Amino acid sequence: MACIFCQIAGGELPASIVYEDSECLAFMDIHPLGRGHVLVIPKHHARQVTELETGATQRLFAVAESILSAQRRLGWGLDGSHILLNDGKTANQKVPHVHVHIIPREKGDSLKSAGKLALHVTGVFGFATPRPRLEEQASQLRTELLTQCNRRQT
Ligand code: 5GP
Ligand code: ZN
Protein backbone atom coordinates (compact mmCIF):
# COMPACT_ATOMS: atom_id res chain seq x y z
CA MET A 1 0.00 0.00 0.00
CA ALA A 2 1.16 3.53 -0.80
CA CYS A 3 2.44 5.61 2.13
CA ILE A 4 0.07 8.10 3.77
CA PHE A 5 1.59 11.14 1.99
CA CYS A 6 1.48 9.36 -1.41
CA GLN A 7 -2.22 8.73 -0.70
CA ILE A 8 -2.69 12.45 0.01
CA ALA A 9 -0.75 13.38 -3.18
CA GLY A 10 -2.91 10.93 -5.13
CA GLY A 11 -6.15 12.38 -3.73
CA GLU A 12 -7.06 9.11 -2.00
CA LEU A 13 -6.88 10.69 1.47
CA PRO A 14 -8.23 14.13 2.37
CA ALA A 15 -5.91 17.05 3.10
CA SER A 16 -6.26 20.81 3.31
CA ILE A 17 -4.17 21.87 0.33
CA VAL A 18 -2.17 25.09 0.45
CA TYR A 19 -0.12 24.84 -2.75
CA GLU A 20 0.40 22.44 -5.64
CA ASP A 21 2.62 22.30 -8.73
CA SER A 22 3.92 19.47 -10.93
CA GLU A 23 6.57 18.45 -8.37
CA CYS A 24 5.43 19.56 -4.91
CA LEU A 25 2.37 19.61 -2.69
CA ALA A 26 1.85 21.65 0.50
CA PHE A 27 -0.93 20.96 3.00
CA MET A 28 -1.86 21.65 6.61
CA ASP A 29 -0.39 19.31 9.25
CA ILE A 30 -3.30 17.55 10.92
CA HIS A 31 -1.53 17.58 14.33
CA PRO A 32 -0.03 21.09 14.25
CA LEU A 33 2.88 22.04 16.50
CA GLY A 34 2.00 25.71 16.00
CA ARG A 35 -0.79 27.79 14.43
CA GLY A 36 -0.85 27.17 10.68
CA HIS A 37 1.75 24.32 10.62
CA VAL A 38 2.28 23.32 6.96
CA LEU A 39 4.04 20.32 5.35
CA VAL A 40 5.67 20.44 1.90
CA ILE A 41 6.27 17.14 0.12
CA PRO A 42 7.59 15.97 -3.24
CA LYS A 43 4.76 14.34 -5.22
CA HIS A 44 6.92 11.32 -6.04
CA HIS A 45 7.64 8.97 -3.19
CA ALA A 46 11.09 9.25 -1.62
CA ARG A 47 11.80 8.10 1.93
CA GLN A 48 14.80 10.35 2.51
CA VAL A 49 16.49 13.39 1.00
CA THR A 50 19.31 11.28 -0.49
CA GLU A 51 16.72 9.46 -2.65
CA LEU A 52 15.46 12.70 -4.23
CA GLU A 53 16.43 13.79 -7.72
CA THR A 54 18.96 16.62 -8.11
CA GLY A 55 17.35 19.97 -7.38
CA ALA A 56 14.25 18.54 -5.67
CA THR A 57 15.40 19.53 -2.16
CA GLN A 58 15.98 23.13 -3.27
CA ARG A 59 12.52 23.16 -4.86
CA LEU A 60 10.92 21.95 -1.60
CA PHE A 61 12.69 24.63 0.41
CA ALA A 62 11.80 27.33 -2.14
CA VAL A 63 8.11 26.40 -1.70
CA ALA A 64 8.61 26.31 2.09
CA GLU A 65 10.10 29.82 1.97
CA SER A 66 7.13 31.26 0.09
CA ILE A 67 4.77 29.62 2.59
CA LEU A 68 6.79 31.06 5.47
CA SER A 69 6.38 34.54 3.93
CA ALA A 70 2.62 33.99 3.49
CA GLN A 71 2.32 32.87 7.13
CA ARG A 72 4.17 36.00 8.30
CA ARG A 73 1.85 38.26 6.29
CA LEU A 74 -1.03 36.56 8.11
CA GLY A 75 0.69 37.35 11.40
CA TRP A 76 1.65 33.74 12.13
CA GLY A 77 5.15 33.09 13.45
CA LEU A 78 6.07 36.77 13.62
CA ASP A 79 8.39 35.99 16.53
CA GLY A 80 9.87 32.88 14.91
CA SER A 81 9.23 29.64 13.04
CA HIS A 82 10.80 26.23 12.57
CA ILE A 83 11.67 25.13 9.01
CA LEU A 84 12.40 21.52 9.74
CA LEU A 85 13.12 18.28 7.89
CA ASN A 86 13.41 15.10 9.96
CA ASP A 87 15.48 12.81 7.72
CA GLY A 88 15.39 9.22 8.98
CA LYS A 89 13.91 7.28 11.90
CA THR A 90 16.62 8.24 14.39
CA ALA A 91 15.99 11.88 13.50
CA ASN A 92 12.30 11.48 14.52
CA GLN A 93 10.93 10.95 11.01
CA LYS A 94 7.59 9.18 11.53
CA VAL A 95 6.12 9.38 8.02
CA PRO A 96 8.51 7.68 5.56
CA HIS A 97 8.04 10.23 2.73
CA VAL A 98 10.25 13.36 2.64
CA HIS A 99 8.50 16.43 4.07
CA VAL A 100 9.48 19.92 5.19
CA HIS A 101 7.67 21.34 8.23
CA ILE A 102 6.98 25.07 8.46
CA ILE A 103 5.90 25.63 12.06
CA PRO A 104 5.00 29.14 13.25
CA ARG A 105 5.82 29.78 16.91
CA GLU A 106 4.43 32.37 19.30
CA LYS A 107 6.03 34.13 22.25
CA GLY A 108 5.42 32.13 25.43
CA ASP A 109 4.25 28.92 23.70
CA SER A 110 7.33 26.85 24.70
CA LEU A 111 5.53 24.70 27.28
CA LYS A 112 2.58 23.93 25.00
CA SER A 113 4.92 23.30 22.07
CA ALA A 114 7.23 21.01 24.10
CA GLY A 115 4.24 18.89 25.20
CA LYS A 116 3.05 18.50 21.61
CA LEU A 117 6.57 17.78 20.39
CA ALA A 118 6.91 15.01 22.98
CA LEU A 119 3.75 13.41 21.53
CA HIS A 120 5.11 13.71 17.99
CA VAL A 121 8.38 12.05 18.98
CA THR A 122 6.46 9.05 20.34
CA GLY A 123 4.42 8.94 17.11
CA VAL A 124 1.12 9.20 19.05
CA PHE A 125 0.46 12.78 17.78
CA GLY A 126 -2.68 13.39 19.91
CA PHE A 127 -6.02 14.68 18.64
CA ALA A 128 -6.40 15.74 15.02
CA THR A 129 -7.37 19.37 14.38
CA PRO A 130 -10.96 19.58 13.04
CA ARG A 131 -11.04 19.73 9.22
CA PRO A 132 -12.97 23.07 9.00
CA ARG A 133 -10.20 24.81 10.97
CA LEU A 134 -7.51 23.35 8.69
CA GLU A 135 -9.55 24.33 5.62
CA GLU A 136 -9.90 27.90 6.89
CA GLN A 137 -6.13 28.21 7.45
CA ALA A 138 -5.35 26.63 4.06
CA SER A 139 -7.72 29.07 2.37
CA GLN A 140 -6.04 32.05 4.08
CA LEU A 141 -2.62 30.82 2.96
CA ARG A 142 -3.79 30.18 -0.62
CA THR A 143 -5.09 33.76 -0.82
CA GLU A 144 -1.77 35.13 0.49
CA LEU A 145 0.25 33.03 -1.98
CA LEU A 146 -1.91 34.27 -4.84
CA THR A 147 -1.46 37.90 -3.74
CA GLN A 148 2.32 37.31 -3.54
CA CYS A 149 2.31 35.81 -7.05
CA ASN A 150 0.23 38.70 -8.50
CA ARG A 151 2.53 41.26 -6.86
CA ARG A 152 5.57 39.63 -8.52
CA GLN A 153 3.90 39.79 -11.93
CA THR A 154 3.13 43.54 -11.74
P1 5GP B 1 7.66 13.60 11.07
O1 5GP B 1 7.72 13.26 12.53
O2 5GP B 1 7.67 12.37 10.19
O3 5GP B 1 8.71 14.60 10.69
O4 5GP B 1 6.30 14.36 10.86
C1 5GP B 1 5.17 13.78 10.32
C2 5GP B 1 4.07 14.81 10.36
O5 5GP B 1 2.97 14.32 9.62
C3 5GP B 1 3.57 15.07 11.78
O6 5GP B 1 3.73 16.46 12.06
C4 5GP B 1 2.11 14.65 11.74
O7 5GP B 1 1.29 15.50 12.50
C5 5GP B 1 1.77 14.71 10.27
N1 5GP B 1 0.73 13.78 9.84
C6 5GP B 1 0.65 12.47 10.15
N2 5GP B 1 -0.43 11.93 9.55
C7 5GP B 1 -1.03 12.91 8.84
C8 5GP B 1 -2.20 12.96 8.01
O8 5GP B 1 -2.91 12.00 7.79
N3 5GP B 1 -2.51 14.16 7.45
C9 5GP B 1 -1.74 15.27 7.66
N4 5GP B 1 -2.14 16.39 7.07
N5 5GP B 1 -0.64 15.26 8.44
C10 5GP B 1 -0.28 14.09 9.02
ZN1 ZN C 1 5.03 8.26 -0.22
Side-chain angles (χ1 to χ4, degrees), residues 2-7 44-46 96-97:
C3 90
I4 194 162
F5 287 174
C6 278
Q7 290 180 61
H44 288 295
H45 183 82
H97 181 132

Side-chain angles (χ1 to χ4, degrees), residues 99-120:
H99 50 281
V100 180
H101 297 260
I102 310 116
I103 312 170
R105 295 289 305 272
E106 282 164 40
K107 258 187 194 152
D109 73 353
S110 292
L111 210 58
K112 200 166 110 188
S113 175
K116 286 185 179 176
L117 189 60
L119 280 176
H120 271 237

Side-chain angles (χ1 to χ4, degrees), residues 18-80:
V18 170
Y19 173 83
E20 180 167 15
D21 63 29
S22 57
E23 293 169 43
C24 307
L25 184 70
F27 53 90
M28 305 308 298
D29 192 305
I30 204 165
H31 307 285
L33 288 168
R35 179 166 61 149
H37 180 170
V38 173
L39 300 172
V40 188
I41 65 165
K43 282 188 169 173
H44 288 295
H45 183 82
R47 181 179 282 263
Q48 288 189 238
V49 165
T50 41
E51 294 169 21
L52 288 171
E53 282 175 17
T54 312
T57 312
Q58 286 90 329
R59 181 79 197 119
L60 286 179
F61 276 94
V63 172
E65 189 187 12
S66 60
I67 288 169
L68 175 78
S69 300
Q71 288 171 333
R72 294 262 162 94
R73 283 198 305 280
L74 288 167
W76 307 345
L78 290 179
D79 295 316

Side-chain angles (χ1 to χ4, degrees), residues 80-147:
S81 303
H82 299 280
I83 302 170
L84 177 75
L85 195 161
N86 295 325
D87 196 55
K89 264 189 191 169
T90 307
N92 295 329
Q93 183 181 6
K94 298 295 173 200
V95 177
H97 181 132
V98 174
H99 50 281
V100 180
H101 297 260
I102 310 116
I103 312 170
R105 295 289 305 272
E106 282 164 40
K107 258 187 194 152
D109 73 353
S110 292
L111 210 58
K112 200 166 110 188
S113 175
K116 286 185 179 176
L117 189 60
L119 280 176
H120 271 237
V121 168
T122 62
V124 174
F125 293 132
F127 293 111
T129 298
R131 181 63 60 193
R133 174 135 184 77
L134 296 177
E135 282 299 325
E136 170 61 24
Q137 291 179 336
S139 160
Q140 286 177 278
L141 285 169
R142 284 196 304 270
T143 304
E144 276 306 326
L145 288 170
L146 207 63
T147 310

